[in-house]
């Protein structure tokens, strides 16, 4: 009331009339009621104030408040008397106004209203502090639009509104503080819950699960993810995400630690990155992120373990309390991750230690060597299963007792070796003749070294290996080496067979037999040695030997005779080995070992197979030596035949020339021309024969050196056959041998003309030579891909046993004395045909003639 009276006095002083004063006092009273009835929310107070001013005191008004930095005035409420201009008016007032310039500076600095034409700007002040300005507009500008009374009234309204606004702000600040306290209490409770959950998390995956499931609720975030830095420190791998789509999770699975992405920056700089606007979050840069995000590094001892990211669905500002809270969540998450890693490492170390102990125990238990742990006095502390298998004593029988393996006569030397081992000397493979539980001897090699237990005096670790089989193997190697020397010293087949039979007797067998396969496919014993060697067929008999030769696989029987050992020679239940003699993929025969004194085992079989391999190689060498000598004999025979064959036409040619010269000398100019013609024809035939023989020898030289060259040209084979046949017509006519041709009309291909001429000539020459004057028929057929030439005679024919070697070099099926020649023509023909990709074969019956079939590809 005092303030109202004061304002009334001021109004009377400035000349206000009584009715107006009452009206304005009523307005102030109404304003007090309205502002009192308004809520304590600042927006409501400001809207009510504008509603009081318009339209009673002005056409429009605007209420501007200072920003927090005090530099700007921001319009927070406005009113307009004309609805049509309200939108334009609000748009005009939406811009901020500088508080330190123009009228605003004067009003806020002096605290007094300022009028400019139809505009009045009044200060809003409360408790001596400027809050903003109230601006009122009139419709028509006048010199003094607002009289002093109106200014006083508007100032009173502004003061009351400033007071109400100050009360509302105080209320809002108190409520905000209360809410902040409640939020802080809630966050603390949730943080305690998260911390409790994290304290029980034992793995990194569980830590990520707790942080994301609980952290999203704590931070009131929409989605989140936790990345762990990989060991190579080049990228971070997504461990877990929540609130993300599978596609987004896949895109963000790997976060490179290079670039300028927020997650990369927070890991590189070890500080949080706060994204309060639409900043880029994804590493790729093209991913549209959420409106706001928090990227928090998980740091322990100055090293980044990973990154924790929370994203929010709407634009979100992070105040200091929230930032501190989120960093605290990240700190606890980092500590939990570090603990989980340490626990995982410890568990892995424990598991590795257990595995190492189990592996060591498994090695000891599974070791094929006998492992013993001994005190310096020889007391056994460890005894593995291999020691039990090798020596016969069980662990219960020897543990805590002196080692029973060493015989008494060797015990002192063994004890001294244990003493040397405890002093650090390593005994490397020392041989020892020990004994088994059953009293039998065993040759072992012993390795001994010192062991330092966790407590107590040093001990000795001894490893024993049974070297009985090794010594047996070394003996077998010596035997094979001696056998190799014996077999290498002989190249005669009979002597080699005898040496093979005697090699294994008596060291490995009582009886040894060598069996070979004959030409008819049967099996015969060619050499024996040992007891019962006078028997025609030593055991195990021809049936077993035949099976081994046919299958190429060895057969054994290890059963021993329980009665008279002589039953071995009679084929009783003796032990035997039968192994094939194989060389170059071919089985020559078989080698048998027989004994009634012991059982044959796998090592004996391997020895027998190796001996058989070397014996087969020696037999093959003997066979090759025999073949070489046979080849030398053939060469000598060929040289003899060649000299005879080459001399015969020369001698005939010389006699014919001498005869012609003698006749010419006797007759002078009256020499008979017909006689001269016949003589020259004989000379021509001998020259041709000589030429053919020389050409054959040259072809042999070329073919042996691999220098046969083909010149393929388009050729009509039928025409070539006719041409060769025409050359042979005089000879066929002289011998009275009919020559029949049956040729396909068109037989074209790519062939060497000269070489095919040589083949056809050879075939027609042989048919004439061996045909006995019977008809010779030449047939030529053509298919789409090849040509078939057939030369058939009705002559002497060829025996079946001679057919396989007919096309070999220097081979012939008839006597060279009766038919002559080198035995090279068919061999040369086969080489030429095969060089052209063809094939030649013969069909013959002795006394009925032969048919030579030539097959040539046309390409």
């Amino acid at each position: 009331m005092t303030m109202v009276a004061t304002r009334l006095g001021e109004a009377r002083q400035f000349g206000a009339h009584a009715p107006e004063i009452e009206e304005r006092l009523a307005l102030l009273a109404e304003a007090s009621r309205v502002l009192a009835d308004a809520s304590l929310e600042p927006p409501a107070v400001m809207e009510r104030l504008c509603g009081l001013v318009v339209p009673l005191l002005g056409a429009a008004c605007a209420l501007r408040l200072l920003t927090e930095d005090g530099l700007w005035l921001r319009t927070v409420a406005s009113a307009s008397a004309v609805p049509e201009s309200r939108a334009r008016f609000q748009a005009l007032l939406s811009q901020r106004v500088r508080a330190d310039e123009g009228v605003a500076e004067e009003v806020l600095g002096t605290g007094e209203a300022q009028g400019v034409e139809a505009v009045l700007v009044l200060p809003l002040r409360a408790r001596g502090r400027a809050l903003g300005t109230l601006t009122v507009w009139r419709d028509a500008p006048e010199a003094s639009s607002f009289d002093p009374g109106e200014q006083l009234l508007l100032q009173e309204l502004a003061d009351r509104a400033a007071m109400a606004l100050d009360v509302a702000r105080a209320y809002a600040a108190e409520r905000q503080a209360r809410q902040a306290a409640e939020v802080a209490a809630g966050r603390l409770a949730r943080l305690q819950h998260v911390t409790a959950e994290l304290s029980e998390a034992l793995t990194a995956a569980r830590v990520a699960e707790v942080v994301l499931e609980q952290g999203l609720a704590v931070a009131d975030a929409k989605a989140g993810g936790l990345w762990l830095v990989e060991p190579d420190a080049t990228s971070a791998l997504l461990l877990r995400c929540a609130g993300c789509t599978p596609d987004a999770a896949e895109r963000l699975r790997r976060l490179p630690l290079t670039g300028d992405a927020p997650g990369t920056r927070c890991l590189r700089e070890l500080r949080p990155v706060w994204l309060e606007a639409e900043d880029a979050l994804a590493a790729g840069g093209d991913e549209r992120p959420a409106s706001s995000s928090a990227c928090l590094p998980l740091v322990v001892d100055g090293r980044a373990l990973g990154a924790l990211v929370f994203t929010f669905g709407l634009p979100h500002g992070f105040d200091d309390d929230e930032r501190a809270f989120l960093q605290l969540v990240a700190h606890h998450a980092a500590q939990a991750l570090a603990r989980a890693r340490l626990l995982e490492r410890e568990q892995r170390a424990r598991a590795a230690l257990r595995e190492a102990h189990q592996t060591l125990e498994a090695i000891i238990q599974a070791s094929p060597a006998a492992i013993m742990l001994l005190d310096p006095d020889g007391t056994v502390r460890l005894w593995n299963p291999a020691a039990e298998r090798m020596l016969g004593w069980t662990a219960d029988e020897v543990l805590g007792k002196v080692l029973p393996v060493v015989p008494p006569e060797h015990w002192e030397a063994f004890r001294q070796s244990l003493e040397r081992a405890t002093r650090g000397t390593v005994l490397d493979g020392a041989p020892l003749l020990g004994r088994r539980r059953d009293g039998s001897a065993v040759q072992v090699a012993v390795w001994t070294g010192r062991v330092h237990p966790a407590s107590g005096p040093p001990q000795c670790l001894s490893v024993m290996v049974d070297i009985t089989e090794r010594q047996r193997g070394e003996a077998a190697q010596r035997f094979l080496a001696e056998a190799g020397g014996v077999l290498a010293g002989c190249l005669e087949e009979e002597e080699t067979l005898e040496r093979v039979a005697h090699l294994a007797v008596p060291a490995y067998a009582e009886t040894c037999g060598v069996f070979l396969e004959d030409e008819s496919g049967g099996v015969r014993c060619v050499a024996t040695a040992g007891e019962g060697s006078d028997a025609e067929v030593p055991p195990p008999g021809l049936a077993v030997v035949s099976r081994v030769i046919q299958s190429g696989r060895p057969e054994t029987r290890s059963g021993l005779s329980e009665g008279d050992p002589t039953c071995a020679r009679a084929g009783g239940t003796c032990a035997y080995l039968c192994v094939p003699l194989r060389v170059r993929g071919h089985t020559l025969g078989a080698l048998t070992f027989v004994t009634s004194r012991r059982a044959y085992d796998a090592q004996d079989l391997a020895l027998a197979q190796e001996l058989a391999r070397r014996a087969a190689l020696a037999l093959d060498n003997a066979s090759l030596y025999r073949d070489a000598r046979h080849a030398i004999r053939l060469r000598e025979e060929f040289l003899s035949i060649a000299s005879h064959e080459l001399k015969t036409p020369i001698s005939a040619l010389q006699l014919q020339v001498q005869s012609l010269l003698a006749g010419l000398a006797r007759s002078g100019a009256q020499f008979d021309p017909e006689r001269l013609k016949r003589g020259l024809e004989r000379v021509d035939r001998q020259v041709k024969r000589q030429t053919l023989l020389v050409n054959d020898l040259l072809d042999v030289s070329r073919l042996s050196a691999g220098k046969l060259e083909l010149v393929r040209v388009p050729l009509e084979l039928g025409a070539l056959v006719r041409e060769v046949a025409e050359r042979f017509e005089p000879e066929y006519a002289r011998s009275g041998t009919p020559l029949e041709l049956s040729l396909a009309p068109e037989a074209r291909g790519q062939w060497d003309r000269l070489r095919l001429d040589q083949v056809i000539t050879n075939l027609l020459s042989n048919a004439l030579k061996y045909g006995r004057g019977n008809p010779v028929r030449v047939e030529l057929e053509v298919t789409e891909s090849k040509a078939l030439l057939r030369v058939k005679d009705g002559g002497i024919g060829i025996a079946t046993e001679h057919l396989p070697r007919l096309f070999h070099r220097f081979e012939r099926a008839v006597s060279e004395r009766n038919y002559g020649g080198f035995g090279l023509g068919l061999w040369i023909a086969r080489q030429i045909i095969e060089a052209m990709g063809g094939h030649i074969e013969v069909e013959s019956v002795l006394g009925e003639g032969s048919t030579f079939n030539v097959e040539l590809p046309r390409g």
Side-chain angles (χ1 to χ4, degrees):
M1 293 297 293
T2 304
M3 182 177 294
V4 174
T6 304
R7 293 295 184 183
L8 182 57
E10 291 177 354
R12 289 175 177 172
Q13 180 182 356
F14 286 104
H17 301 288
E20 294 178 356
I21 293 173
E22 292 177 359
E23 183 180 352
R24 290 174 182 176
L25 289 175
L27 179 59
L28 290 175
E30 179 65 18
S32 298
R33 185 186 64 78
V34 169
L35 292 175
D37 290 342
S39 66
L40 294 176
E41 295 292 335
V45 173
M46 292 181 287
E47 290 294 335
R48 291 294 178 89
L49 176 60
C50 292
L52 291 172
V53 173
V54 177
L56 296 177
L57 299 176
C61 73
L63 193 147
R64 293 186 175 97
L65 296 181
L66 281 170
T67 58
E68 293 182 0
D69 56 9
L71 297 178
W72 298 91
L73 286 170
R74 181 169 55 90
T75 303
V76 295
S78 62
S80 177
V82 181
E84 293 77 3
S85 61
R86 185 172 300 170
R88 186 174 70 254
F89 180 68
Q90 291 178 347
L92 180 63
L93 298 177
S94 61
Q95 299 179 355
R96 294 188 299 178
V97 178
R98 294 286 299 188
D100 55 354
E101 296 178 356
V103 178
E105 181 183 13
E106 295 181 6
V107 172
L108 295 175
T110 62
E112 295 180 359
Q114 299 290 330
V116 180
E117 297 181 354
V119 180
L120 180 63
V121 181
L122 303 104
L124 293 177
R125 301 180 65 86
R127 294 182 292 174
R129 183 168 59 91
L131 303 180
T133 62
L134 176 65
T135 306
V136 182
W137 286 268
R138 290 281 177 87
D139 285 335
E142 298 176 359
S144 58
S145 300
F146 293 93
D147 59 30
E150 291 174 335
Q151 291 186 19
L152 288 175
L153 179 60
L154 287 172
Q155 187 63 59
E156 181 64 27
L157 289 174
D159 292 342
R160 295 190 181 194
M163 186 179 299
L165 182 60
D166 187 57
V167 172
R169 280 187 170 182
Y171 173 74
E174 185 275 334
R175 185 178 61 181
Q176 185 177 2
R178 185 172 62 252
Q179 290 176 350
E182 292 174 355
V183 169
R187 286 176 177 172
L188 180 60
R190 285 179 287 183
L191 182 61
Q192 291 175 345
H193 180 68
V194 172
T195 303
E197 292 282 342
L198 289 175
S199 64
E200 298 178 359
L202 302 180
T203 63
R206 176 56 183 164
V207 170
E209 180 182 357
V210 171
V211 168
L212 292 179
E213 288 185 357
Q214 303 293 332
L216 289 182
V218 170
D220 195 20
K222 177 184 178 182
L226 192 149
W227 284 261
L228 289 183
V229 176
E230 294 190 297
D232 58 5
T234 60
S235 60
L237 191 65
L238 180 64
L239 180 61
R240 188 180 180 87
C241 66
C244 301
T245 63
D247 291 341
E250 181 61 27
R251 287 194 300 270
L252 298 173
R253 188 177 68 87
R254 188 176 297 277
L255 182 66
L257 297 187
T258 57
D260 199 40
T264 302
R265 293 205 314 270
C266 83
L267 287 173
R268 186 171 59 243
E269 300 172 5
L270 300 182
R271 63 178 182 82
V273 176
W274 310 98
L275 307 176
E276 298 183 346
E278 295 189 359
D279 299 313
L281 173 63
D286 56 351
E287 179 73 18
R288 186 68 173 174
S291 296
S292 299
S293 302
C295 302
L296 306 162
L298 303 176
V299 181
V300 174
D301 296 333
R303 184 171 60 92
L305 303 181
L308 177 63
V309 176
F310 292 118
T311 61
F312 301 85
L314 297 174
H316 185 81
F318 300 97
D319 55 26
D320 293 340
D321 291 340
E322 187 174 9
R323 293 189 180 198
F325 172 72
L326 291 178
Q327 291 183 70
L328 192 57
V329 171
H331 172 74
H332 286 294
Q335 294 295 327
L337 277 177
R339 289 196 303 271
R341 283 191 172 184
L342 290 175
L343 180 60
E344 289 175 357
R345 290 175 184 173
E346 181 183 359
Q347 290 175 342
R348 285 197 300 268
R350 290 180 180 274
L353 183 59
R354 287 195 302 270
E355 184 178 356
H357 287 165
Q358 293 171 358
T359 302
L360 179 60
E361 180 66 22
I363 290 173
I364 293 174
Q365 295 297 318
S367 172
I371 299 177
M372 292 162 278
L373 187 63
L374 307 175
D375 289 338
D377 61 355
T379 304
V380 179
R381 300 302 179 188
L382 175 66
W383 188 264
N384 75 333
E388 181 177 341
R389 292 192 301 269
M390 181 188 301
L391 304 171
W393 286 280
T394 65
D396 294 337
E397 292 174 332
V398 297
L399 289 178
K401 300 178 182 178
V402 176
L403 182 67
V405 177
V406 183
E409 60 271 20
H410 299 300
W411 175 252
E412 183 60 27
F414 182 74
R415 187 188 61 78
Q416 292 177 0
S417 66
L418 290 180
E419 290 180 355
R420 291 198 306 273
T422 55
R423 292 194 298 268
T425 303
V426 177
L427 304 181
D428 190 5
L432 174 67
L433 182 62
R435 64 175 181 177
R436 296 187 176 94
R437 190 175 187 276
D438 58 5
S440 61
V442 56
Q443 188 72 33
V444 296
V446 184
W447 286 263
T448 305
R450 180 174 58 183
V451 175
H452 289 282
S455 59
Q459 294 177 307
C460 297
L461 178 66
S462 293
V463 179
M464 289 187 181
V465 177
D466 188 348
I467 60 174
T468 305
E469 291 299 320
R470 188 181 75 184
Q471 291 180 335
R472 181 182 171 190
E474 292 173 352
Q477 292 298 322
R478 289 193 298 271
F479 166 75
L480 290 175
E482 294 173 1
V486 171
L487 293 174
C490 178
L491 289 176
E492 295 296 334
E493 188 170 8
E494 293 78 6
E495 184 178 352
T496 300
L497 291 171
E498 287 296 327
R499 291 188 177 188
V500 169
H502 285 82
L503 281 173
V505 179
Y508 291 94
E510 298 174 37
T511 303
C512 180
V514 182
F515 297 80
L516 295 181
E517 190 176 24
D518 56 25
E519 295 180 357
S520 62
V523 178
R524 58 189 176 90
C525 180
V526 294
T528 59
E531 299 178 7
S533 59
D534 55 342
E536 183 177 356
V537 179
L542 293 179
V544 174
V545 174
S546 297
R547 287 199 306 270
V548 170
I549 293 176
Q550 292 298 322
S551 66
R553 294 190 297 270
E555 288 194 17
T556 66
R557 185 171 71 183
S558 60
L560 294 176
S561 171
E562 297 178 357
D564 185 4
T566 59
C567 67
R569 294 190 295 273
T573 57
C574 58
Y576 68 77
L577 297 172
C578 184
V579 294
L581 295 168
R582 289 182 61 83
V583 64
R584 294 186 292 171
H586 176 65
T587 303
L588 304 178
L591 183 65
T592 61
F593 293 170
V594 182
T595 186
S596 59
R597 297 170 185 162
R598 65 185 183 89
Y600 283 131
D601 56 16
Q603 189 172 351
D604 293 316
L605 176 60
L607 175 68
Q609 288 178 308
E610 180 60 23
L611 179 62
R613 187 185 68 80
R614 301 188 182 196
L617 184 61
L619 291 174
D620 188 57
N621 289 337
S623 176
L624 292 175
Y625 176 67
R626 181 194 62 203
D627 293 343
R629 289 193 301 177
H630 177 66
I632 293 173
R633 182 180 58 79
L634 287 178
R635 185 194 65 182
E636 292 174 350
E637 291 179 359
F638 166 73
L639 292 176
S640 176
I641 295 169
S643 63
H644 172 73
E645 289 293 328
L646 292 173
K647 186 186 295 183
T648 298
I650 294 175
S651 299
L653 181 62
Q654 185 178 11
L655 291 174
Q656 191 63 41
V657 171
Q658 291 174 353
S659 175
L660 290 175
L661 290 173
L664 184 61
R666 288 193 303 270
S667 303
Q670 302 299 322
F671 189 76
D672 186 6
E674 185 63 29
R675 181 182 176 187
L676 178 62
K677 178 183 177 182
R678 289 195 302 271
L680 291 175
E681 287 177 350
R682 292 189 189 98
V683 170
D684 181 64
R685 285 195 299 272
Q686 295 302 325
V687 171
K688 287 181 178 179
R689 181 182 178 189
Q690 183 79 5
T691 302
L692 289 174
L693 292 173
V694 172
N695 287 338
D696 283 348
L697 291 177
L698 290 175
D699 285 339
V700 170
S701 176
R702 293 191 190 99
L703 291 170
S704 298
K707 295 181 179 180
L708 180 63
E709 296 181 358
L710 298 178
V711 181
R712 297 179 183 268
V713 296
L715 178 65
E716 207 286 303
L717 188 56
L720 180 61
V721 173
R722 287 191 189 91
E723 180 181 332
V724 176
E726 289 174 359
R727 290 205 306 266
F728 273 90
E729 281 183 0
E731 296 186 38
Y732 271 77
R734 278 196 303 270
S735 64
T737 301
L739 180 59
E740 303 174 1
L741 301 179
S742 176
L743 307 178
E746 191 75 17
R748 295 191 178 277
Q750 293 284 334
W751 298 300
D752 187 315
R753 178 185 180 86
L754 181 61
R755 292 301 179 181
L756 279 185
D757 186 313
Q758 187 177 354
V759 171
I760 299 169
T761 298
N762 183 278
L763 294 178
L764 291 181
S765 176
N766 283 347
L768 177 63
K769 184 188 298 185
Y770 304 113
R772 296 186 305 189
N774 293 322
V776 174
R777 182 174 178 81
V778 180
E779 299 176 355
L780 179 61
E781 299 176 2
V782 179
T783 65
E784 183 178 353
S785 60
K786 53 191 171 183
L788 305 174
L789 177 65
R790 189 177 297 109
V791 179
K792 182 176 182 182
D793 67 72
I796 62 175
I798 305 169
T800 303
E801 62 271 17
H802 296 318
L803 289 177
R805 59 186 180 88
L806 186 63
F807 292 99
H808 292 181
R809 185 167 49 178
F810 307 134
E811 295 289 352
R812 56 178 66 240
V814 294
S815 171
E816 66 275 5
R817 291 187 178 181
N818 295 329
Y819 291 93
F822 293 152
L824 295 172
L826 290 177
W827 179 76
I828 294 173
R830 188 188 72 173
Q831 299 298 317
I832 292 172
I833 294 300
E834 290 180 353
M836 294 186 187
H839 178 68
I840 184 172
E841 61 182 10
V842 62
E843 300 173 0
S844 183
V845 178
L846 189 63
E848 298 182 7
S850 303
T851 301
F852 287 86
N853 299 307
V854 177
E855 180 181 299
L856 288 169
R858 299 179 66 183

